[in-house]
Amino acid sequence: MPTRPPTRCAEPGCSTLVPKGRCDEHKRIPWAGRDDKAARYGISSGAWRSLKAKVTRRDNGCCYRCGIDQDEIKRDDPEARDHVLDHITPIFEGGSATAMDNLGLLCEPCDTLKSKSEALRANQARKRAR
């Protein structure tokens, strides 16, 4: 099987030969520079878990978009992920970070769809602002 020759590290000024990308010294740290919920919303992870517990009790563990019950998913697939706590109106569109009426549970498929549509709207808004 043919292999490609090594190239120089992608870091400017480094001449270390690597199979691809950056050398060990210059590899980027995954998730470096990304903030956590405390930095993003101004609340601790414990407070976030508490809010999720309250919303789960209020909504009986059901997704607010499709209505599927979290226990029903777990019964069918014990390895399935729990519903996630979601901002109904995104923060960037003026939604409150901690108000109970702006929080709901989403199942994984609904969360994926909603996240993609929010990212699209945010990117369009950013382009319009230029």
Side-chain angles (χ1 to χ4, degrees), residues 61-104:
C62 294
C63 173
Y64 74 85
R65 292 190 88 183
C66 70
I68 193 161
D69 187 356
Q70 184 168 317
D71 294 334
E72 187 179 319
I73 292 175
K74 287 289 190 180
R75 220 179 353 237
D76 294 341
D77 180 12
E79 300 296 316
R81 291 182 43 210
D82 287 342
H83 289 2
V84 295
L85 187 60
D86 178 67
H87 293 102
I88 297 169
T89 303
I91 306 297
F92 77 90
E93 291 179 351
S96 171
T98 58
M100 289 294 285
D101 60 341
N102 192 39
L103 295 171

Side-chain angles (χ1 to χ4, degrees), residues 4 7-11 16-23 27:
R4 69 183 210 187
T7 61
R8 287 192 188 137
C9 172
E11 182 72 20
T16 305
L17 293 177
V18 292
K20 175 175 139 180
R22 297 177 186 273
C23 66
K27 275 191 180 162

